[in-house]
Each structure stands twice: as C-alpha cells, then as structure tokens.
Amino acid sequence: MSTTSPRPRTGQNLTLRLLDRLERDSRADAVIDAVAARVRALPLGRGRDVLHGRWLGHPVHPLLVQVPVGSWLSAAVLDLLPGRTRGADVLVGVGLAAATPAALTGAADWAELHHEQQRVGLVHAVANTTAVGLYAASLACRLRGRRAAGRALGFLGLTAVGVGGMLGGHLAYRQASGANHAEEVAHLVGEGWHRVGGAADFPVGRAVRRMVDDVPIVVVHEPDGEIHALADRCSHLAGPLSEGAIADGCVECPWHGSVFRLSDGWNVRGPATAPQPAFDTRMVDGHLEVRLRRHDQED
Ligand code: FES
C-alpha cells in the first residue's frame, strides 16, 4: 500500500526539499509501525469512527486543532499587551486542555496512512508534543508568578506549534491525507449510460474491475441477481476496492478496512469519511451498462 514520492526537482525551495527528504526517510519506520499498530489495536469500537470524523463527512482533526492553536495565538497577543496577563494565562490553559482531543483524532487518522505520510505525521506530532510541553511549563511559571519565563516559554511553544501546523498543512494538502480521493469521479465520468461488458463478464459473488471513461469501477453481481457498481478507488486513500472482500452487501477496502455499502456507496465503517460514488446499473441486449448516480439526478 506504500506509495513512492517524487524525487526533488530543480527549483524546489529548501523547505520542500527537506519535506520531500523526510517523506522518503525510512529510518523511523520500525517505530512508526509499532506505534501505529498500537493505535489501531486500541479498543475504541465505534468511537474510532467518531475520531476519524465519519459523522462529519471529513476528518475532525483539523477542526479540533483550531482551539489550541487559536488559544495560544491569542495568549501570545495578550502577552504583548500591558495588563492582560490573567487572560493570557487562561488561554494557555484552554489550549492545553483542548490539545488532548486534537491529538487523539490526529493519532487515529495517522495510524491509517501511507508510510510517506506517517513519516511527516510523526514529526508533526513531535513538534506539537514539544509545544504542549513548552506551554505546560509556561503555565507552571505563570502560576508561580514567573511571568517573564512564562511568556518566553509561550512564545517558544507558539514557534513549535507553527512548525507542527506547517507540517500538518503539507500532510493535508501536498500528501492529500484526509482528502476525499473519490471526489473527482463526478468530474471525470461522462453523463448517461456506459457499456462495461457482457453479462458473462460478471460472475456472481466476484468483484470485477472495469473502466468508465478514465475512472475505474468495481462491479459486483450479488447472489440475489442485483448488480452493483461503485467507483473502485477508495475515498480514503484510493485503495482498490475490486481487491477487497465482499460480505453482507458491502465491500471492504483491502488497505485500511473501510467498508462501503454496495447499493449506494455509503461508508458504513471508516477510516473513510466520505462515501463511495455509486452507479445505477442495467442490462441491455446482454450487456451491462452503468450510469453515475448524481446528487441532482431525479431518476
Ligand atoms: S484506502 Fe484506506 S481504507 Fe481504503
């Protein structure tokens, strides 16, 4: 399931070169694998999908990090103003309290990523953990009346959380962790019906991969005669659903175990937070035809 990162190109700035190097650096993979296995083994039950943000339709982690980052940034502003020390102290404490749920959601998502993403995610977590330590020390100094030290530690914490935020941005936008990897399907598949094969090409109980325009789809002929078709690339990280297990009217992604309902693509289990695009199907003259089910489609 691991992907290969592109080599650095001429003209890339130093930050991008360092981040590309970090993506390819496998030295911490043994640690990453051990920690990720432990996170995946936590008995969270349905709470795991709550942490992923399946209920929200996209990862919940970026939402939760607003609270500590916003609190600490506001505390830094108040630290620069005369007579606002008490408010800054409170905001530092609020940020520390909010860091735990943010970290939990991030850890749950991180455990289900490719190695290249996990390497960046690990450094992102180290930077943010450093920030938490610095802010905890800052709060302790503030409570003991050592205001100058408290402020200085706060500014160091803000620097660390800034580094963590930059890495989080790289992870989210350049490495597309957390993005819906099936979003482009509606833009690539043409309107109307598409012929994808003869009836004999789709044996009962087997997942068959076909192409519609430039989009791979998975077709499943169920024992009750129903034929279902979904976009093949999993919305989580584009894993091939046609290689997944079929059971109870659903397909399970072979990469991280997201489960999608065959009839409509609903993501009944994460880590995928977005459903899978679904296709209507019909037999015409012994050939299977599929049509992308669009939200604005009446029939
Ligand atoms: S690619 Fe991760 S669950 Fe499908």
Side-chain angles (χ1 to χ4, degrees):
M1 79 180 72
S2 198
T3 58
T4 304
S5 293
R7 309 284 306 174
R9 296 185 182 88
T10 308
Q12 280 188 337
N13 66 35
L14 178 61
T15 305
L16 273 180
R17 282 206 301 276
L18 289 173
L19 285 168
D20 279 340
R21 198 173 301 169
L22 173 60
E23 287 181 27
R24 297 195 312 276
D25 190 333
S26 61
R27 283 176 294 181
D29 282 1
V31 174
I32 286 171
D33 288 345
V35 176
R38 290 196 173 202
V39 173
R40 287 196 298 271
L42 289 173
L44 296 174
R46 290 190 165 273
R48 188 175 296 278
D49 276 359
V50 174
L51 295 177
H52 286 310
R54 195 173 69 86
W55 55 277
L56 187 60
H58 60 77
V60 71
H61 177 68
L63 184 67
L64 294 187
V65 298
Q66 305 300 317
V67 184
V69 172
S71 299
W72 291 336
L73 189 58
S74 302
V77 173
L78 293 183
D79 273 340
L80 294 173
L81 299 175
R84 302 298 177 96
T85 52
R86 186 58 60 201
D89 298 350
V90 170
L91 285 169
V92 168
V94 169
L96 283 169
T100 299
L104 284 174
T105 54
D109 290 346
W110 171 85
E112 311 285 2
L113 295 177
H114 296 305
H115 265 146
E116 290 80 358
Q117 297 163 326
Q118 287 179 320
R119 291 165 191 157
V120 176
L122 181 66
V123 183
H124 165 76
V126 167
N128 289 336
T129 303
T130 303
V132 167
L134 288 164
Y135 273 111
S138 170
L139 186 60
C141 287
R142 290 165 191 266
L143 294 176
R144 289 181 190 137
R146 296 172 57 200
R147 308 225 61 88
R151 273 199 300 270
L153 287 165
F155 286 121
L156 286 173
L158 192 63
T159 304
V161 89
V163 172
M166 184 269 292
L167 291 164
H170 183 88
L171 196 50
Y173 298 112
R174 190 169 174 94
Q175 295 184 285
S177 65
N180 175 7
H181 287 257
E183 197 283 331
E184 76 278 8
V185 168
H187 308 289
L188 295 174
V189 172
E191 300 277 347
W193 292 95
H194 304 259
R195 194 163 280 199
V196 291
D201 296 331
F202 305 99
V204 173
R206 269 203 26 221
V208 177
R209 189 175 188 270
R210 283 287 184 272
M211 294 297 291
V212 174
D213 293 333
D214 287 331
V215 174
I217 65 169
V218 54
V219 178
V220 178
H221 189 171
E222 295 220 87
D224 64 4
E226 288 280 333
I227 300 181
H228 300 296
L230 300 179
D232 188 45
R233 291 196 187 108
C234 175
S235 66
H236 178 232
L237 282 177
L241 296 186
S242 51
E243 296 174 21
I246 307 292
D248 302 325
C250 294
V251 58
E252 180 175 347
C253 179
W255 282 7
H256 310 103
S258 289
V259 175
F260 300 95
R261 197 160 54 205
L262 288 167
S263 59
D264 60 2
W266 182 247
N267 48 323
V268 299
R269 194 175 79 204
T273 56
Q276 203 64 11
F279 292 73
D280 295 320
T281 64
R282 70 181 185 186
M283 277 291 179
V284 177
D285 300 331
H287 289 85
L288 179 66
E289 294 184 348
V290 302
R291 178 180 66 175
L292 181 63
R293 207 173 296 159
R294 300 180 190 270
H295 297 305
D296 55 356
Q297 200 166 277
E298 290 297 323
D299 59 350

